[in-house]
Structures are given as structure tokens and as C-alpha cells.
Amino acid sequence: MEYALISGTDMKVSRIAQGTWAIGGWMWGGTDESESIRTIHAALDKGINLIDTAPVYGFGVSEEIVGKAIEQRGQREKVFIATKVGLQWDDGSVSRNSSPDRIRKEVQDSLRRLRTDYIDIYQVHWPDLAVPIEETARTMQELFDQGLIRAIGVSNYSPQQMKRFMSASELHTVQPPYNLFERQIERDVLPYVCENNLSVFAYGPLCRGLLTGTMRPDSRFTGDDLRQSDPKFQLPVFEQYLNAVQKLDDLAQERYGKHVMDLAVRWVLDQPGITAALWGARYPAELDAVAGTLDWKLDADTLTTIDQIVRRAIRKPIGPEFMAPPTSTTIAA
């Protein structure tokens, strides 16, 4: 396993993190608690010490599973739990709420579900335009000063929003969507975090399974699977992305004896500013491929070829905007 320090802390985390959105079940077709716990244990066995979760993943289910898994394994001090705050749900409807009262309530709920008395990395899940960013930041700093959290993070924030946040609080981590097909953060977020020495946890490095190389034009998604609402998974655009995946897989095999999944995650890890990539395994066997992403580098010529393949195959790239929860109707200054 590769490890890296979170900026401004003494926390040395694995560069592959166990992501637990799918384990929560919501928008991923349900969950199996015992299987999910075995998956987290398998991740720990492979040297993964960073577990990323959120209250909204399964409306508390993901955090409860993470808490049980870590409690069963023991050695809490060797695991770094990253969770989030600022999304509330009512009858399955999710909205943003980063008010001080909401944050203070959520941290206690998360501590209870996670069966711990501190959270290693606490991240504001989405910017809430109805609450001044500085007010949210001051509340997060308050939790940090109280020792309830060990590092402060934000997710899905723009550089302008991070700048406002940092005017009122420390900031250690940033979590944006980032993969070979969703590269919007290269324009602004990545330059900003490099300039300000922030650590980046990239979510979606496999683009919701698209970059695993296992999907076909007739792949179908049922129930509440979020890929039903992702434009990239709708024909005929889906075929463009699959064509790119095939060409990337050919490239990986020809130059490195690897597969497209290895290439995609390695590509994320090799980008400047990236501390860790989230690996959303639901079953222990899905962690077997982690080894193929580690301890090698992409050369400059391959990076250029990757860009050419993606640019030629996908005529009009589609971003991850569809995942954003609704903003509040009242906009704060």
C-alpha cells in the first residue's frame, strides 16, 4: 500500500480509501450488512486505513456499518474515519443544511453511529448557499478545537468557496469528483489545492463502474440505481464512453500488462495534489484489484495518449453535475 500525510496533520493515510456510498445501499440497490462488514475488514487487511462515509449514505446505514466493522476489528486508533455533514433527509428527499445547529446535531449522531468519541476527518458534504460559508466554517473549527474532529474538510466546493471557508477556519482536505471522464476540477480546484497545500480525496475514480471494463452496451440498471439518471449511461452516449474504455484497456495491456481499472486509478493517483482515491468496493473480492493500481507510474507518453483517446472517443463530455442535491431557495451572501 502507498501512504501519504494529510496536510497540516500527523495522519498518514492509505492512498486507496474504502468508499462506502454503495455499502449504504441507497441509490445502489440495497445492502448486505454482514457482507459489507467483511468488505471493510478485507480493506483493512490490505493496508487500507482510510474509510470514507457519510450520514446520507443509506440514511445512517453506511455509518452504522462502518462503526460496527471497526468495533469488531478493534484498534480504532489505526483507522482513519472520514465522514461528512451538511445534508439532511426527509422521507428520502435530500437537501443541504450546513447551519451551526445542524452541524452540532449531526456530529453527535455520527459519533453515535460510528461508535467512537472522535472523527478523524469531518467534511462539509456540499456547500449550502443559504448559510454564510464563514458561519459553517466557524462551527467546524469549534468542533476541531473541542477535539471532536481531527481534521476539517469540504467536498464539492469551488476555490472561491474554499477561500471564504479558510478565512474563518482551518482546512485540511478537499473531496471532489475526479476521474478520466470527469476532469472539471483541473480548471480551478486542483490548482487551488496545490497552491494552498490541501489534501485531496478524489471520489468516483472509476466513474461509477464505467472504468472497470466490465460494462457492455446492454448493461442495465434497475431499482434506485443512480446510474439510471447519469447521462453517461444512456444510449447512444453510453457507447462513446464504452469505446473509450475499450481503447484505454488496450493501451493498459499493451504498455503495462494492466487493465483499464488499474490504469484509471493510477491516473488519478499520479495527478498533482491527489492524496487518495476512493475505492467503492461492496464485496471483499472487489478489493483484489487494488494491488494492480499500486507501486507503478504512468509515463508522459502514455498520459498524452490517454488524453488523445478520451478526446477522440467522446464528442461531448458529460460531467458529474447530475449528482448535486438541490440547493436551498434562500441564498445567503
PDB file of all heavy atoms in Angstrom, residues 207-227:
ATOM      1  N   CYS A 207     -15.586   6.218 -12.094  1.00  0.00           N
ATOM      2  CA  CYS A 207     -16.768   6.791 -12.749  1.00  0.00           C
ATOM      3  C   CYS A 207     -17.977   5.869 -12.637  1.00  0.00           C
ATOM      4  O   CYS A 207     -18.590   5.469 -13.626  1.00  0.00           O
ATOM      5  CB  CYS A 207     -16.467   7.124 -14.207  1.00  0.00           C
ATOM      6  SG  CYS A 207     -17.619   8.308 -14.940  1.00  0.00           S
ATOM      7  N   ARG A 208     -18.299   5.512 -11.391  1.00  0.00           N
ATOM      8  CA  ARG A 208     -19.464   4.686 -11.070  1.00  0.00           C
ATOM      9  C   ARG A 208     -19.482   3.360 -11.847  1.00  0.00           C
ATOM     10  O   ARG A 208     -20.510   2.902 -12.317  1.00  0.00           O
ATOM     11  CB  ARG A 208     -20.759   5.493 -11.304  1.00  0.00           C
ATOM     12  CG  ARG A 208     -20.862   6.643 -10.290  1.00  0.00           C
ATOM     13  CD  ARG A 208     -21.901   7.659 -10.639  1.00  0.00           C
ATOM     14  NE  ARG A 208     -21.616   8.412 -11.837  1.00  0.00           N
ATOM     15  CZ  ARG A 208     -20.667   9.356 -11.946  1.00  0.00           C
ATOM     16  NH1 ARG A 208     -19.895   9.649 -10.926  1.00  0.00           N
ATOM     17  NH2 ARG A 208     -20.506  10.007 -13.077  1.00  0.00           N
ATOM     18  N   GLY A 209     -18.283   2.785 -11.963  1.00  0.00           N
ATOM     19  CA  GLY A 209     -18.148   1.470 -12.580  1.00  0.00           C
ATOM     20  C   GLY A 209     -17.840   1.502 -14.062  1.00  0.00           C
ATOM     21  O   GLY A 209     -17.478   0.476 -14.646  1.00  0.00           O
ATOM     22  N   LEU A 210     -17.969   2.664 -14.683  1.00  0.00           N
ATOM     23  CA  LEU A 210     -17.754   2.758 -16.121  1.00  0.00           C
ATOM     24  C   LEU A 210     -16.330   2.380 -16.510  1.00  0.00           C
ATOM     25  O   LEU A 210     -16.093   1.765 -17.560  1.00  0.00           O
ATOM     26  CB  LEU A 210     -18.073   4.187 -16.578  1.00  0.00           C
ATOM     27  CG  LEU A 210     -18.153   4.477 -18.076  1.00  0.00           C
ATOM     28  CD1 LEU A 210     -19.079   3.505 -18.789  1.00  0.00           C
ATOM     29  CD2 LEU A 210     -18.632   5.912 -18.284  1.00  0.00           C
ATOM     30  N   LEU A 211     -15.359   2.709 -15.651  1.00  0.00           N
ATOM     31  CA  LEU A 211     -13.961   2.456 -15.963  1.00  0.00           C
ATOM     32  C   LEU A 211     -13.455   1.118 -15.412  1.00  0.00           C
ATOM     33  O   LEU A 211     -12.245   0.885 -15.357  1.00  0.00           O
ATOM     34  CB  LEU A 211     -13.097   3.607 -15.432  1.00  0.00           C
ATOM     35  CG  LEU A 211     -13.141   4.877 -16.303  1.00  0.00           C
ATOM     36  CD1 LEU A 211     -12.727   6.109 -15.510  1.00  0.00           C
ATOM     37  CD2 LEU A 211     -12.269   4.695 -17.542  1.00  0.00           C
ATOM     38  N   THR A 212     -14.368   0.243 -15.024  1.00  0.00           N
ATOM     39  CA  THR A 212     -13.938  -1.098 -14.606  1.00  0.00           C
ATOM     40  C   THR A 212     -13.683  -2.014 -15.791  1.00  0.00           C
ATOM     41  O   THR A 212     -13.018  -3.045 -15.658  1.00  0.00           O
ATOM     42  CB  THR A 212     -15.000  -1.767 -13.709  1.00  0.00           C
ATOM     43  OG1 THR A 212     -16.219  -1.914 -14.463  1.00  0.00           O
ATOM     44  CG2 THR A 212     -15.266  -0.941 -12.455  1.00  0.00           C
ATOM     45  N   GLY A 213     -14.250  -1.674 -16.938  1.00  0.00           N
ATOM     46  CA  GLY A 213     -14.114  -2.517 -18.114  1.00  0.00           C
ATOM     47  C   GLY A 213     -15.079  -3.672 -18.153  1.00  0.00           C
ATOM     48  O   GLY A 213     -14.967  -4.551 -19.016  1.00  0.00           O
ATOM     49  N   THR A 214     -16.040  -3.695 -17.251  1.00  0.00           N
ATOM     50  CA  THR A 214     -16.979  -4.824 -17.172  1.00  0.00           C
ATOM     51  C   THR A 214     -18.338  -4.523 -17.799  1.00  0.00           C
ATOM     52  O   THR A 214     -19.178  -5.419 -17.887  1.00  0.00           O
ATOM     53  CB  THR A 214     -17.207  -5.232 -15.709  1.00  0.00           C
ATOM     54  OG1 THR A 214     -17.782  -4.119 -14.994  1.00  0.00           O
ATOM     55  CG2 THR A 214     -15.897  -5.640 -15.048  1.00  0.00           C
ATOM     56  N   MET A 215     -18.553  -3.277 -18.233  1.00  0.00           N
ATOM     57  CA  MET A 215     -19.872  -2.914 -18.744  1.00  0.00           C
ATOM     58  C   MET A 215     -19.950  -3.092 -20.253  1.00  0.00           C
ATOM     59  O   MET A 215     -18.953  -2.995 -20.964  1.00  0.00           O
ATOM     60  CB  MET A 215     -20.212  -1.478 -18.358  1.00  0.00           C
ATOM     61  CG  MET A 215     -20.380  -1.304 -16.865  1.00  0.00           C
ATOM     62  SD  MET A 215     -20.988   0.325 -16.427  1.00  0.00           S
ATOM     63  CE  MET A 215     -21.131   0.114 -14.637  1.00  0.00           C
ATOM     64  N   ARG A 216     -21.178  -3.364 -20.735  1.00  0.00           N
ATOM     65  CA  ARG A 216     -21.443  -3.570 -22.144  1.00  0.00           C
ATOM     66  C   ARG A 216     -22.623  -2.697 -22.578  1.00  0.00           C
ATOM     67  O   ARG A 216     -23.361  -2.197 -21.723  1.00  0.00           O
ATOM     68  CB  ARG A 216     -21.781  -5.054 -22.398  1.00  0.00           C
ATOM     69  CG  ARG A 216     -20.681  -6.018 -21.991  1.00  0.00           C
ATOM     70  CD  ARG A 216     -19.462  -5.871 -22.900  1.00  0.00           C
ATOM     71  NE  ARG A 216     -18.356  -6.762 -22.491  1.00  0.00           N
ATOM     72  CZ  ARG A 216     -17.347  -6.394 -21.730  1.00  0.00           C
ATOM     73  NH1 ARG A 216     -17.301  -5.154 -21.248  1.00  0.00           N
ATOM     74  NH2 ARG A 216     -16.383  -7.227 -21.413  1.00  0.00           N
ATOM     75  N   PRO A 217     -22.822  -2.502 -23.884  1.00  0.00           N
ATOM     76  CA  PRO A 217     -23.937  -1.658 -24.333  1.00  0.00           C
ATOM     77  C   PRO A 217     -25.301  -2.094 -23.804  1.00  0.00           C
ATOM     78  O   PRO A 217     -26.200  -1.268 -23.641  1.00  0.00           O
ATOM     79  CB  PRO A 217     -23.885  -1.791 -25.856  1.00  0.00           C
ATOM     80  CG  PRO A 217     -22.453  -2.087 -26.160  1.00  0.00           C
ATOM     81  CD  PRO A 217     -21.989  -2.955 -25.016  1.00  0.00           C
ATOM     82  N   ASP A 218     -25.460  -3.401 -23.494  1.00  0.00           N
ATOM     83  CA  ASP A 218     -26.746  -3.880 -22.993  1.00  0.00           C
ATOM     84  C   ASP A 218     -26.807  -3.929 -21.461  1.00  0.00           C
ATOM     85  O   ASP A 218     -27.760  -4.481 -20.891  1.00  0.00           O
ATOM     86  CB  ASP A 218     -27.081  -5.259 -23.570  1.00  0.00           C
ATOM     87  CG  ASP A 218     -26.036  -6.321 -23.206  1.00  0.00           C
ATOM     88  OD1 ASP A 218     -24.987  -5.952 -22.626  1.00  0.00           O
ATOM     89  OD2 ASP A 218     -26.275  -7.501 -23.516  1.00  0.00           O
ATOM     90  N   SER A 219     -25.810  -3.365 -20.785  1.00  0.00           N
ATOM     91  CA  SER A 219     -25.856  -3.307 -19.309  1.00  0.00           C
ATOM     92  C   SER A 219     -27.055  -2.479 -18.883  1.00  0.00           C
ATOM     93  O   SER A 219     -27.327  -1.406 -19.432  1.00  0.00           O
ATOM     94  CB  SER A 219     -24.569  -2.683 -18.758  1.00  0.00           C
ATOM     95  OG  SER A 219     -23.452  -3.503 -19.024  1.00  0.00           O
ATOM     96  N   ARG A 220     -27.789  -2.967 -17.894  1.00  0.00           N
ATOM     97  CA  ARG A 220     -28.992  -2.284 -17.431  1.00  0.00           C
ATOM     98  C   ARG A 220     -28.910  -2.059 -15.923  1.00  0.00           C
ATOM     99  O   ARG A 220     -28.318  -2.847 -15.196  1.00  0.00           O
ATOM    100  CB  ARG A 220     -30.242  -3.109 -17.773  1.00  0.00           C
ATOM    101  CG  ARG A 220     -30.487  -3.251 -19.276  1.00  0.00           C
ATOM    102  CD  ARG A 220     -30.853  -1.917 -19.919  1.00  0.00           C
ATOM    103  NE  ARG A 220     -31.039  -2.033 -21.365  1.00  0.00           N
ATOM    104  CZ  ARG A 220     -30.090  -1.775 -22.260  1.00  0.00           C
ATOM    105  NH1 ARG A 220     -28.887  -1.392 -21.850  1.00  0.00           N
ATOM    106  NH2 ARG A 220     -30.330  -1.897 -23.548  1.00  0.00           N
ATOM    107  N   PHE A 221     -29.554  -0.992 -15.475  1.00  0.00           N
ATOM    108  CA  PHE A 221     -29.532  -0.604 -14.064  1.00  0.00           C
ATOM    109  C   PHE A 221     -30.965  -0.469 -13.580  1.00  0.00           C
ATOM    110  O   PHE A 221     -31.800   0.165 -14.233  1.00  0.00           O
ATOM    111  CB  PHE A 221     -28.748   0.703 -13.897  1.00  0.00           C
ATOM    112  CG  PHE A 221     -27.421   0.660 -14.604  1.00  0.00           C
ATOM    113  CD1 PHE A 221     -27.252   1.243 -15.854  1.00  0.00           C
ATOM    114  CD2 PHE A 221     -26.353  -0.021 -14.045  1.00  0.00           C
ATOM    115  CE1 PHE A 221     -26.044   1.175 -16.512  1.00  0.00           C
ATOM    116  CE2 PHE A 221     -25.133  -0.105 -14.701  1.00  0.00           C
ATOM    117  CZ  PHE A 221     -24.973   0.491 -15.939  1.00  0.00           C
ATOM    118  N   THR A 222     -31.263  -1.099 -12.461  1.00  0.00           N
ATOM    119  CA  THR A 222     -32.643  -1.184 -12.001  1.00  0.00           C
ATOM    120  C   THR A 222     -32.818  -0.543 -10.630  1.00  0.00           C
ATOM    121  O   THR A 222     -31.859  -0.098  -9.996  1.00  0.00           O
ATOM    122  CB  THR A 222     -33.075  -2.659 -11.937  1.00  0.00           C
ATOM    123  OG1 THR A 222     -32.219  -3.366 -11.020  1.00  0.00           O
ATOM    124  CG2 THR A 222     -32.992  -3.309 -13.306  1.00  0.00           C
ATOM    125  N   GLY A 223     -34.052  -0.536 -10.154  1.00  0.00           N
ATOM    126  CA  GLY A 223     -34.351  -0.027  -8.820  1.00  0.00           C
ATOM    127  C   GLY A 223     -33.978   1.432  -8.686  1.00  0.00           C
ATOM    128  O   GLY A 223     -34.275   2.253  -9.553  1.00  0.00           O
ATOM    129  N   ASP A 224     -33.273   1.757  -7.587  1.00  0.00           N
ATOM    130  CA  ASP A 224     -32.910   3.155  -7.340  1.00  0.00           C
ATOM    131  C   ASP A 224     -31.475   3.451  -7.771  1.00  0.00           C
ATOM    132  O   ASP A 224     -30.903   4.466  -7.361  1.00  0.00           O
ATOM    133  CB  ASP A 224     -33.105   3.500  -5.859  1.00  0.00           C
ATOM    134  CG  ASP A 224     -32.173   2.696  -4.938  1.00  0.00           C
ATOM    135  OD1 ASP A 224     -31.454   1.797  -5.437  1.00  0.00           O
ATOM    136  OD2 ASP A 224     -32.167   2.974  -3.724  1.00  0.00           O
ATOM    137  N   ASP A 225     -30.883   2.595  -8.614  1.00  0.00           N
ATOM    138  CA  ASP A 225     -29.502   2.768  -9.058  1.00  0.00           C
ATOM    139  C   ASP A 225     -29.315   4.151  -9.691  1.00  0.00           C
ATOM    140  O   ASP A 225     -29.995   4.504 -10.656  1.00  0.00           O
ATOM    141  CB  ASP A 225     -29.145   1.677 -10.072  1.00  0.00           C
ATOM    142  CG  ASP A 225     -27.657   1.565 -10.319  1.00  0.00           C
ATOM    143  OD1 ASP A 225     -27.028   2.606 -10.604  1.00  0.00           O
ATOM    144  OD2 ASP A 225     -27.116   0.443 -10.255  1.00  0.00           O
ATOM    145  N   LEU A 226     -28.383   4.940  -9.152  1.00  0.00           N
ATOM    146  CA  LEU A 226     -28.221   6.318  -9.619  1.00  0.00           C
ATOM    147  C   LEU A 226     -27.775   6.404 -11.064  1.00  0.00           C
ATOM    148  O   LEU A 226     -27.934   7.454 -11.710  1.00  0.00           O
ATOM    149  CB  LEU A 226     -27.234   7.072  -8.730  1.00  0.00           C
ATOM    150  CG  LEU A 226     -25.730   6.913  -8.990  1.00  0.00           C
ATOM    151  CD1 LEU A 226     -24.988   8.083  -8.331  1.00  0.00           C
ATOM    152  CD2 LEU A 226     -25.205   5.594  -8.471  1.00  0.00           C
ATOM    153  N   ARG A 227     -27.223   5.320 -11.616  1.00  0.00           N
ATOM    154  CA  ARG A 227     -26.770   5.369 -12.997  1.00  0.00           C
ATOM    155  C   ARG A 227     -27.929   5.478 -13.982  1.00  0.00           C
ATOM    156  O   ARG A 227     -27.723   5.831 -15.153  1.00  0.00           O
ATOM    157  CB  ARG A 227     -25.902   4.146 -13.294  1.00  0.00           C
ATOM    158  CG  ARG A 227     -24.531   4.259 -12.647  1.00  0.00           C
ATOM    159  CD  ARG A 227     -23.748   2.988 -12.663  1.00  0.00           C
ATOM    160  NE  ARG A 227     -24.321   1.976 -11.788  1.00  0.00           N
ATOM    161  CZ  ARG A 227     -23.703   0.865 -11.428  1.00  0.00           C
ATOM    162  NH1 ARG A 227     -22.473   0.627 -11.868  1.00  0.00           N
ATOM    163  NH2 ARG A 227     -24.277  -0.012 -10.627  1.00  0.00           N
TER     164      ARG A 227
END
